[in-house]
Amino acid sequence: AYTFAEAAHRGQKRKSGEDYIIHSLHVAKNLAEIGMDEKTIVAGLLHDVPEDTDITLEEVEKKFGSEVALLVDGITKLGKIKLRGSKEEYYLENLRKMFLAMAQDIRVVIIKLADRLHNMRTLEHLAPEKQERIARGTMEIYAPIANRLGIGEIKGELEDLSFKYLDPVHYEETRKLEETYLHEGKAYMERTVQF
């Protein structure tokens, strides 16, 4: 799957300037870290192939089977959510598509969460207005779904990363406080252990 995805994405770059395959690898790694099965990880590696390359979903199915193709197709459909109308309409449409995907196969939503997590980790390479829009969607849609699915590590990181772009002043204050207390707490623990 890696070889196939790497060949398909060869020459493509992300806004950061790194090869596109790096994103696919991070999505697969995120999925592996939460203990997902082989087919889900394969679909994570291939999730952008039909949408962003000349390779068709049929070719993915022929090479990796119908289960992987179904997952990749589900992710492609979720990726087509665009902001239209009011914020409420956007929110409801996002929820509707997420719940439809969950009804079809919950792994589609888990792959989408892993995809969003890596996109949030690299959000600094986008324009500020896009950063805010993506961070808001993450807080309103993705973090709550990660929470409902019991994936607390992803939920927490998505919220922290969103906070950085939605309220940068308070984020920086919080980060400094955390750093100070973490450092003081560590020093206190080391002194206590010595006694």
Side-chain angles (χ1 to χ4, degrees):
Y2 166 76
T3 304
F4 188 87
E6 194 279 327
H9 288 298
R10 193 168 293 141
Q12 293 179 332
K13 300 281 185 190
R14 290 186 49 119
K15 295 279 186 199
S16 64
E18 63 185 9
D19 291 337
Y20 197 91
I21 191 64
I22 300 299
H23 169 67
S24 301
L25 286 170
H26 277 280
V27 171
K29 181 177 181 278
N30 291 340
L31 292 166
E33 285 174 347
I34 60 170
M36 296 307 296
D37 64 289
E38 180 183 327
K39 289 187 179 184
T40 307
I41 295 168
V42 167
L45 277 168
L46 302 171
H47 77 280
D48 281 330
V49 168
E51 190 175 7
D52 294 340
T53 74
D54 294 333
I55 307 280
T56 65
L57 186 63
E58 290 73 26
E59 291 174 84
V60 170
E61 183 172 6
K62 195 179 291 183
K63 182 91 172 154
F64 299 99
S66 59
E67 190 176 346
V68 169
L70 183 75
L71 295 172
V72 171
D73 187 41
I75 298 155
T76 302
K77 287 176 181 164
L78 274 181
K80 291 190 170 144
I81 298 170
K82 298 293 180 220
L83 178 57
R84 289 190 185 91
S86 70
K87 284 185 180 180
E88 292 79 19
E89 288 170 348
Y90 171 63
Y91 176 76
L92 291 173
E93 180 65 7
N94 269 299
L95 280 181
R96 188 183 71 76
K97 289 191 178 191
M98 287 295 242
F99 287 125
L100 283 173
M102 282 194 270
Q104 184 182 22
D105 192 323
I106 193 69
R107 293 175 297 174
V108 170
V109 176
I110 294 170
I111 296 166
K112 192 64 185 168
L113 287 170
D115 176 46
R116 180 53 67 111
L117 180 58
H118 184 250
N119 285 335
M120 287 299 298
R121 287 175 178 165
T122 58
L123 202 58
E124 73 271 8
H125 300 289
L126 300 179
E129 62 278 355
K130 205 165 185 183
Q131 290 172 344
E132 185 179 343
R133 181 178 54 78
I134 291 169
R136 190 160 313 286
T138 299
M139 280 294 276
E140 292 174 355
I141 305 293
Y142 293 94
I145 287 175
N147 185 48
R148 297 287 188 281
L149 294 175
I151 312 172
E153 304 83 31
I154 289 180
K155 174 220 176 232
E157 189 173 351
L158 288 173
E159 287 176 338
D160 290 349
L161 291 166
S162 296
F163 181 35
K164 180 178 177 180
Y165 295 98
L166 295 174
D167 192 350
V169 173
H170 286 110
Y171 171 82
E172 193 54 37
E173 288 173 6
T174 304
R175 193 190 62 73
K176 285 179 183 172
L177 278 171
E178 180 185 40
E179 202 173 87
T180 300
Y181 286 112
L182 189 63
H183 180 71
E184 288 175 7
K186 187 176 178 186
Y188 175 77
M189 287 297 290
E190 286 173 2
R191 284 194 310 273
T192 304
V193 168
Q194 288 174 359
F195 290 111

